[in-house]
Amino acid sequence: MPTTTFAQLDPAAGRSKLALKPLTLVVHLLAVGALLPAMPVYAQSAAATEADEATTLEAVTITGEAVQDVTEGTGSYTTGAARTSTPLSMSLRETPQSISVITQQRIEDQDMQTILDVVNNTTGVSVNRYETDRAQFNARGFEINSLMIDGVPTIWEQPWSSGEMFSSLAMYDRVEVVRGANGLMAGAGDPSASLNLVRKRASSRELTGSVEVSAGSWDTYGTEGDLSFAVNEAGTIRARLVGEFNEGDSWIDLKSKQRETFYGTMDIDLTPDTTLWFGLSRQTNDSDSPMWGGLPIWYADGSRTDWSRSKTTSAEWSKWDSTYDTYFINLDHRFANDWELNLSYNRGERSSDSYLLYLSGNPGRDGSAPMSSFPGSYKTETVQDDYSIRFGGPVMLLGREHEVAFGYIYSQQDFDADNRVAQSGFGGVANFDAYDGDFPAPTWGGLAPYSYGDLTQKGLYAVTRLSVTDDLKVILGARDNRYEKTSDDTPFTSPSRLDEHELTPYAGIVYDLTENLSAYASYTDIFQPQARRDITGQQLDSVIGESYETGLKAEFFEGRLNASAAIFKIKQDGLAESTGTAVPGGMVGEFAYEPIDVTSEGFELEVSGELAPDWNLMAGYTQFEVEDPEGNARSTRFPTKLLRTFTTYRLPGAFNKLTIGGGVNWQDSIYTYATNPAGNREKIEQEAYALVNLMARYEVTDNLTAQLNVDNLTDEEYFDMFEAYGALTYGAPRSVTASAKYRF
């Protein structure tokens, strides 16, 4: 939920409502699927062809371009192509930017459950958790605020995050992470990274699927089912259903959670070159007794606290429930000249409802001084519509074949937040040392408007890849952006209106040094409008982010192993920094800001894929420095040195039913400064630490596997920090998860 340190949003605008509710839409989709076999389309001719070739079919090939790069079933830690940095489908070696792909095999091996797990295990990105249910993602010293689904950006407000960071991975084939500025595809944002979640497709012409059950530490239990099948005999109409349920307690007192996911999709081959695919999903995250704010760092006497990792500031009645519904439809068509057309529409509806308790201040030892209390309750709704068209293909020029792509992306988001004002619950906690969550439930008032935001982004882009020679490729592109936002964070800032028009260029060059090794360089750009005001009351200009990157990329074993080394420099110009002076005539507590420039410089190494048969490896190291023009370190709450590793090996010979694996996630120290009880700024530091993770999987039968995962094997104690209130949040202790999966 919101804090006084975040620019937020107010409801005066009216709320968009769904025309079709989830169950209704499910019925409509399934009805369409049932009727389509009777349509006089490609199905009849395809059925006859398939009957003749039934004995020779060995694999499923779908004409839709989005399916060709699936990682499911490959057993690989890498992939053939990605579209996150440009609309061109290029291999990792051909992409002149640092990009990591978290494949389905890695997701399974490391038992990744949510987007948060992905960020914690990906090269060059990190997490700072404010408390149990909110976090900020970061890359190369800048906040990650670019979230994409199937290559189409979706608008994501992290401070209000309605459970997105805990969104299940059950419905996704892979996650692509491109680091640096990504304005060509993402539109507005910071020069940090973009996360692209790629959905699973209905690709199987036969009945296939899996069922998985799991149990782990803190009484956590889960089950997941994944079913794919053909709707008609020809296999030109296919469906897929994914369901997941997960619940359990936590290492934190009182806290428990429940997560449910439903995903349904259909692929329809209208012709051999045209595929229509559509679907819907619902993800719910119900969190009981979540913390709102972290644990205090100091006692009232100025001495440091030393809490158990199970300590909570929450109450027994606290909760934070969220729902995320999506509806999508896509059309892929390949023309005779190998040009491709993609049309897509996505609708996302996010809602959350929370009853929270915030405890602040520095408690006295053994109850010698109380902590203050503030109950808060918020109900948020976000409706977003995304439209996208992409058109591209090969062109011949001067006797050589090149590629071009054009596209248009339109996104509109309406955000509303209401709150319930507590009529009681401000009496504080007398003895926090003995506090166990037994706090009287407040009396709440009715819902009242709190904040709102209406945001529209329009982006028209064009990009080309020129084959200058057989070994030299040049990529040039640009995006024309229009950004319009009206918002009002009633309690803290004045209403604002942003209307920005920016051009974000893209340039890259790739030169093949050998058959396996390429050198590359790139320049990428991005912008981020901001509603902060200066001392004169004028809004600051947009923040401009520029990324410069050069490096080497290698590809071995026919693409099964990828390696890269990069040197980067990122500039963020015009970033708002508080002056500590109030805006004349502004809202109470609204401070003036001034623009500053921040620079990040560093390098990155990564290798991912198959080192040898049955031996997968992912290893990545990142190191950088973030400074302002005076040489002061910035973004110190995030590590500037990161090591991410994980490997698995299937034993040979008589032990070949057993796969073992493990890895280490290491980061250097992080720190911030916060005001101690004496009113002085004091350094808070988490020293460098490493988390050791292990796994083992045994093939009981050809269809049944059993797996064991151990995270934080050494039970390392570590914390993240929220400097605004001098608070910290502990990370997870050692945990064990056992699972069994049956495939058919």
Side-chain angles (χ1 to χ4, degrees):
M1 295 320 305
T3 72
T4 56
T5 61
F6 295 128
Q8 305 161 18
L9 311 164
D10 136 52
R15 301 180 176 169
S16 301
K17 298 295 184 182
L18 255 185
L20 294 174
K21 295 299 181 183
L23 289 177
T24 306
L25 193 52
V26 168
V27 173
H28 280 73
L29 290 176
L30 294 179
V32 170
L35 292 172
L36 280 169
M39 295 175 61
V41 293
Y42 170 59
Q44 286 83 357
S45 60
T49 302
E50 182 173 317
D52 295 336
E53 301 178 354
T55 59
T56 60
L57 288 177
E58 297 180 354
V60 177
T61 302
I62 308 300
T63 54
E65 53 83 23
V67 183
Q68 65 186 8
D69 303 320
V70 297
T71 65
E72 184 181 23
T74 66
S76 177
Y77 276 19
T78 189
T79 185
R83 288 188 186 270
T84 303
S85 63
T86 76
L88 306 171
S89 183
M90 300 184 295
S91 70
L92 303 188
R93 180 184 169 188
E94 295 170 328
T95 304
Q97 281 184 272
S98 293
I99 184 168
S100 299
V101 180
I102 295 80
T103 65
Q104 187 66 207
Q105 190 63 53
R106 272 200 66 198
I107 292 173
E108 293 181 8
D109 288 348
Q110 295 190 247
D111 191 35
M112 299 184 194
Q113 299 288 321
T114 65
I115 297 174
L116 186 69
D117 295 333
V118 169
V119 176
N120 274 324
N121 290 280
T122 300
T123 300
V125 295
S126 59
V127 178
N128 183 54
R129 297 187 67 162
Y130 302 136
E131 62 265 300
T132 57
D133 286 59
R134 282 190 309 174
Q136 181 180 326
F137 300 161
N138 189 280
R140 298 180 173 180
F142 303 103
E143 179 180 346
I144 298 176
N145 43 31
S146 174
L147 184 66
M148 310 168 74
I149 299 177
D150 288 330
V152 179
T154 183
I155 304 165
W156 182 26
E157 300 283 353
Q158 285 202 60
W160 283 97
S161 55
S162 302
E164 288 95 338
M165 72 173 193
F166 293 109
S167 292
S168 170
L169 298 177
M171 57 187 283
Y172 300 113
D173 171 72
R174 64 191 183 277
V175 182
E176 299 175 357
V177 181
V178 58
R179 291 177 291 283
N182 192 31
L184 182 66
M185 298 304 297
D190 288 322
S192 50
S194 292
L195 308 179
N196 183 22
L197 312 176
V198 183
R199 294 185 179 102
K200 293 177 178 178
R201 294 282 295 272
S203 58
S204 179
R205 300 178 186 270
E206 300 177 350
L207 178 63
T208 61
S210 64
V211 177
E212 182 176 12
V213 294
S214 63
S217 302
W218 313 302
D219 294 325
T220 56
Y221 303 93
T223 182
E224 180 180 330
D226 189 336
L227 182 67
S228 297
F229 55 93
V231 176
N232 65 341
E233 185 177 353
T236 57
I237 304 173
R238 302 169 299 278
R240 186 166 191 167
L241 299 173
V242 178
E244 179 199 46
F245 177 81
N246 189 285
E247 67 174 355
D249 296 329
S250 167
W251 69 93
I252 299 172
D253 292 341
L254 304 178
K255 187 165 185 339
S256 62
K257 62 180 181 181
Q258 180 175 297
R259 185 179 72 243
E260 295 181 12
T261 299
F262 171 78
Y263 171 62
T265 184
M266 296 186 74
D267 274 44
I268 304 170
D269 297 337
L270 301 178
T271 75
D273 299 308
T274 308
T275 299
L276 177 72
W277 61 289
F278 55 88
L280 56 83
S281 66
R282 162 163 283 197
Q283 300 185 72
T284 61
N285 290 282
D286 296 340
S287 179
D288 291 335
S289 297
M291 291 173 62
W292 190 30
L295 297 167
I297 293 173
W298 297 280
Y299 281 111
D301 61 8
S303 61
R304 290 289 183 92
T305 58
D306 185 19
W307 308 110
S308 165
R309 285 179 286 184
S310 62
K311 186 69 172 177
T312 186
T313 60
S314 188
E316 295 176 340
W317 46 264
S318 294
K319 70 172 188 175
W320 193 345
D321 299 338
S322 63
T323 300
Y324 185 21
D325 294 328
T326 65
Y327 312 85
F328 64 92
I329 184 169
N330 293 264
L331 180 69
D332 297 323
H333 179 73
R334 182 181 294 272
F335 297 89
N337 59 0
D338 288 333
W339 275 61
E340 297 177 351
L341 173 68
N342 172 264
L343 304 173
S344 73
Y345 166 71
N346 288 269
R347 181 180 179 89
E349 297 189 341
R350 310 175 185 133
S351 63
S352 71
D353 197 5
S354 61
Y355 296 86
L356 304 168
L357 177 66
Y358 176 63
L359 299 182
S360 62
N362 304 115
R365 292 182 181 271
D366 300 319
S368 58
M371 291 187 72
S372 300
S373 59
F374 177 81
S377 177
Y378 304 88
K379 185 177 179 64
T380 69
E381 291 187 8
T382 305
V383 177
Q384 179 168 329
D385 294 290
D386 303 308
Y387 304 85
S388 171
I389 179 172
R390 185 182 71 248
F391 185 56
V395 295
M396 294 299 298
L397 182 66
L398 301 177
R400 304 192 68 84
E401 185 175 277
H402 315 276
E403 293 178 72
V404 296
F406 310 89
Y408 178 75
I409 299 175
Y410 176 93
S411 296
Q412 183 179 25
Q413 182 192 73
D414 295 325
F415 171 84
D416 290 303
D418 295 343
N419 76 328
R420 306 175 182 89
V421 177
Q423 309 299 317
S424 61
F426 300 95
V429 173
N431 185 356
F432 185 67
D433 279 345
Y435 180 70
D436 60 0
D438 186 14
F439 190 96
T443 300
W444 301 98
L447 285 170
Y450 185 78
S451 62
Y452 78 90
D454 297 330
L455 172 59
T456 300
Q457 286 199 77
K458 306 171 187 176
L460 179 66
Y461 63 80
V463 63
T464 181
R465 182 167 67 154
L466 303 174
S467 297
V468 182
T469 70
D470 289 345
D471 298 326
L472 179 62
K473 305 293 190 298
V474 176
I475 304 169
L476 299 172
R479 171 172 169 145
D480 183 73
N481 298 279
R482 193 65 185 249
Y483 182 102
E484 300 172 1
K485 182 176 182 178
T486 302
S487 62
D488 187 0
D489 183 18
T490 307
F492 309 118
T493 62
S494 303
S496 66
R497 171 150 181 96
L498 298 171
D499 191 345
E500 303 287 343
H501 187 196
E502 297 283 350
L503 183 71
T504 52
Y506 184 104
I509 184 170
V510 180
Y511 184 76
D512 293 339
L513 301 172
T514 69
E515 182 180 356
N516 304 107
L517 181 66
S518 301
Y520 75 93
S522 65
Y523 170 83
T524 54
D525 200 335
I526 202 166
F527 76 106
Q528 179 72 326
Q530 50 188 347
R532 304 294 194 183
R533 298 197 292 168
D534 62 20
I535 195 64
T536 68
Q538 298 298 308
Q539 288 183 350
L540 299 179
D541 293 334
S542 293
V543 184
I544 303 299
E546 300 175 303
S547 293
Y548 304 84
E549 183 172 318
T550 185
L552 299 171
K553 291 193 175 185
E555 187 179 77
F556 306 99
F557 311 132
E558 299 180 343
R560 296 192 301 274
L561 179 69
N562 284 276
S564 63
I567 301 173
F568 60 84
K569 179 178 181 178
I570 300 176
K571 297 173 60 180
Q572 194 172 48
D573 299 334
L575 182 67
E577 182 172 71
S578 177
T579 64
T581 303
V583 176
M587 305 291 290
V588 175
E590 183 181 3
F591 294 101
Y593 286 77
E594 62 182 3
I596 67 167
D597 299 338
V598 178
T599 301
S600 172
E601 295 181 295
F603 69 92
E604 200 164 68
L605 307 170
E606 184 179 59
V607 58
S608 61
E610 189 180 73
L611 290 177
D614 299 323
W615 184 10
N616 281 326
L617 169 71
M618 190 293 303
Y621 179 77
T622 303
Q623 181 171 322
F624 60 91
E625 292 183 346
V626 187
E627 296 180 343
D628 61 21
E630 284 72 42
N632 301 312
R634 312 288 297 193
S635 297
T636 59
R637 289 179 294 114
F638 294 91
T640 57
K641 299 176 183 176
L642 285 161
L643 177 68
R644 304 282 196 244
T645 69
F646 199 82
T647 184
T648 62
Y649 180 66
R650 181 170 177 170
L651 299 180
F655 302 98
N656 70 341
K657 293 183 178 296
L658 178 64
T659 299
I660 57 175
V664 176
N665 290 341
W666 174 89
Q667 66 176 55
D668 69 337
S669 63
I670 57 175
Y671 67 92
T672 189
Y673 289 89
T675 304
N676 63 24
N680 301 317
R681 300 285 285 174
E682 186 174 331
K683 187 177 184 180
I684 307 163
E685 182 176 12
Q686 166 63 62
E687 296 180 349
Y689 64 90
L691 303 180
V692 180
N693 308 309
L694 300 178
M695 68 82 65
R697 180 171 55 247
Y698 186 78
E699 296 181 12
V700 182
T701 68
D702 291 342
N703 303 98
L704 178 64
T705 59
Q707 183 167 315
L708 184 72
N709 287 83
V710 182
D711 293 334
N712 192 5
L713 175 69
T714 60
D715 201 27
E716 187 76 25
E717 185 174 303
Y718 62 99
F719 60 82
D720 290 332
M721 56 195 67
F722 192 6
E723 83 278 17
Y725 298 107
L728 57 85
T729 299
Y730 286 106
R734 180 192 301 113
S735 64
V736 180
T737 301
S739 61
K741 175 176 281 189
Y742 183 82
R743 290 182 170 88
F744 56 90

